[in-house]
Amino acid sequence: MPRQLNDLSRSLVALEQDATLIAVIEMGQSSWLVAGIVPGIERQPLKKLAPDQHAPLQLLHRWQKEANEAGQVIKRITVAYEAGRDGFWLARWLRAREIEAYVIHPSSVPVSREHRRAKTDRLDTELLKRAFLGWLRGEPKHCSMAAIPTIADEDARRPSRERENLVKEATRLVNRMKANLARLGIRGFRPHLARAARQLQTLQTPEGAALPANTLAELRRDMDRLRFAKQQIKQIEAARIERLERESAEQVHAMVRLLGRVVGVGVETADMLVHEVFARRLRDRRAVARYAGLTGAPDESGTKRRERGLAKAGNARVRRGMIQLAWRHLLHQRDSALAQWYRARTADARSRTRKIMIVALARKLLIALWRLLTTGEAPAGLLIRPAA
């Protein structure tokens, strides 16, 4: 199979090790540890720096000067670090200054299987150097690189992720209020209703007593937080609709609008799927399913053959959203080929089997939607609303 241009599992550029300066950065909140492989220098330098972007750049240039003085001409400077709290800003900053910068998927770096393995920043840099060097040589299975998004791409994902966090916060507040009332023997109260704040004053315990003063005050504060969270959710949703209407000609927004026309797919789900998955340049259908973590984790050794379930190594937001969408697909797209495929295989199955098969349906549905947006190929029987 020919190598793809967007294959980040190996480098497609031939490595001239005598002309390439290789460095890795172990990034922490209080300091960065930079380790390098410098041509012409026998030692492998290691330097602890303050967490500032100028410090590693100056260090790289100093190592380049040392290599030149040792008789080696440096044609290429490569830097890598693990994806984490700092995100991708450093890679973008270094690339703007003609430094090849890469971000390594942490889960793709092989580690020791010892029960109590030693772990220090120095040992982590040695591990990253071996993985990065193998990647630069084009050897498979050393590590995988993350696609570095632009600031605009990262910013486009923020509304959907912020809304998800607000929905979780609203759910947490509702559950906490219900638990507080259940502790007093009061059930059936619905905090999410508009009239819930007025009903607090009239609630009574089974003994006929009013709510205790401190509990009532706490519930009112929780109601205020819930009201504020719901207000922010509405603001995010209104801003999204306005943005889709104002910038409808953009490719990403056109994809959201097309996906939103599929019966059973709401605007929120369409926005999340497009910005998290479909806006990326994924290689093929296997890469689409793998990115969402909707692939298996086989356990095979000798005669033992078993499946341990989902790998769960991909985007958790996409995975959760697709499993929810798969259940909705069965409800709203009863005559589609995918729904018929699911029903044919679960007609006489137990509940556990249906739950397992819904994951398979979610994988097929994700690939079908990806093909719809990339090639225009719609799965058989899929209901799509006409364009407004």
Side-chain angles (χ1 to χ4, degrees):
M1 181 178 178
R3 295 179 180 178
Q4 304 292 328
L5 293 178
N6 61 340
D7 187 356
L8 298 177
S9 63
R10 69 190 74 181
S11 175
L12 303 181
V13 180
L15 175 64
E16 298 180 47
Q17 194 161 342
D18 292 336
T20 304
L21 194 159
I22 302 171
V24 296
I25 306 175
E26 180 66 24
M27 303 177 70
Q29 295 189 32
S30 58
S31 63
W32 293 350
L33 190 63
V34 185
I37 301 175
V38 184
I41 299 178
E42 185 176 352
R43 78 182 197 282
Q44 294 194 355
L46 188 71
K47 184 68 174 177
K48 190 174 185 178
L49 302 173
D52 177 75
Q53 67 270 24
H54 298 284
L57 183 62
Q58 294 172 359
L59 181 64
L60 291 172
H61 288 159
R62 194 184 81 191
W63 287 347
Q64 182 182 22
K65 183 178 178 181
E66 292 180 11
N68 291 335
E69 291 174 353
Q72 299 290 340
V73 179
I74 300 299
K75 302 178 182 178
R76 183 183 179 194
I77 301 178
T78 61
V79 179
Y81 63 90
E82 283 186 309
R85 176 176 175 270
D86 286 272
F88 302 95
W89 71 268
L90 181 61
R92 288 192 294 260
W93 190 85
L94 290 172
R95 286 187 173 188
R97 285 150 184 82
E98 299 182 352
I99 304 292
E100 282 188 44
Y102 301 95
V103 180
I104 302 174
H105 275 296
S107 60
S108 70
V109 179
V111 297
S112 172
R113 297 173 62 186
E114 295 177 0
H115 180 61
R116 291 186 177 179
R117 68 181 182 92
K119 187 182 184 305
T120 64
D121 288 345
R122 180 180 60 82
L123 294 176
D124 286 346
T125 57
E126 292 296 325
L127 194 66
L128 287 178
K129 274 196 300 185
R130 288 195 295 271
F132 187 37
L133 185 58
W135 185 87
L136 289 171
R137 288 171 176 162
E139 300 173 8
K141 305 300 182 182
H142 272 272
C143 64
S144 295
M145 298 298 172
I148 298 177
T150 64
I151 294 180
D153 291 338
E154 284 194 295
D155 188 63
R157 301 187 191 121
R158 298 315 310 166
S160 178
R161 296 185 179 186
E162 182 188 5
R163 184 187 180 279
E164 181 183 8
N165 291 332
L166 287 171
V167 170
K168 289 181 180 178
E169 175 66 12
T171 303
R172 185 188 68 84
L173 289 169
V174 168
N175 291 338
R176 190 169 83 167
M177 283 187 279
K178 287 183 177 181
N180 266 339
L181 292 173
R183 179 175 49 85
L184 299 174
I186 300 174
R187 302 180 181 277
F189 181 72
R190 299 181 179 180
H192 59 276
L193 297 180
R195 63 178 183 274
R198 298 192 301 270
Q199 290 179 344
L200 280 177
Q201 194 68 36
T202 62
L203 290 178
Q204 291 183 342
T205 65
E207 295 87 355
L211 292 179
N214 290 334
T215 301
L216 180 60
E218 181 184 358
L219 288 170
R220 284 174 174 170
R221 286 190 290 269
D222 284 342
M223 289 295 300
D224 291 339
R225 295 191 189 100
L226 178 61
R227 188 182 307 110
F228 184 61
K230 292 168 68 175
Q231 179 184 354
Q232 289 189 324
I233 291 172
K234 290 181 180 179
Q235 290 174 354
I236 293 172
E237 293 172 347
R240 183 200 302 116
I241 296 300
E242 180 185 355
R243 187 165 55 251
L244 288 175
E245 293 177 352
R246 184 179 66 251
E247 304 171 0
S248 58
E250 289 192 11
Q251 180 183 5
V252 172
H253 293 158
M255 293 168 70
V256 174
R257 295 173 71 90
L258 173 58
L259 199 57
R261 288 168 49 198
V262 177
V263 176
V265 180
V267 177
E268 171 59 32
T269 302
D271 185 76
M272 182 274 293
L273 289 176
V274 168
H275 287 107
E276 296 287 349
V277 189
F278 300 138
R280 297 173 177 267
R281 294 180 57 193
L282 295 173
R283 186 169 60 250
D284 52 27
R285 61 184 180 86
R286 292 185 178 89
V288 174
R290 187 165 55 246
Y291 177 77
L294 293 170
T295 54
D299 182 12
E300 300 180 358
S301 179
T303 59
K304 181 177 69 173
R305 297 288 187 274
R306 71 186 183 97
E307 189 70 36
R308 291 179 295 178
L310 287 180
K312 294 187 177 181
N315 191 314
R317 291 182 180 86
V318 177
R319 185 166 58 253
R320 289 193 301 266
M322 282 310 305
I323 292 176
Q324 294 171 5
L325 182 59
W327 288 114
R328 296 204 303 270
H329 186 82
L330 296 176
L331 179 64
H332 298 286
Q333 299 274 0
R334 296 177 181 273
D335 297 328
S336 68
L338 290 177
Q340 293 175 6
W341 172 87
Y342 176 86
R343 287 196 297 270
R345 282 159 179 78
T346 59
D348 301 323
R350 296 176 298 176
S351 175
R352 182 176 180 275
T353 305
R354 290 196 293 270
K355 290 180 180 179
I356 294 174
M357 291 302 298
I358 201 66
V359 177
L361 176 62
R363 184 182 189 276
K364 287 180 172 289
L365 181 58
L366 179 64
I367 295 171
L369 295 177
W370 172 71
R371 285 174 172 164
L372 173 65
L373 295 180
T374 54
T375 66
E377 176 189 353
L382 188 71
L383 298 178
I384 301 178
R385 302 183 189 93

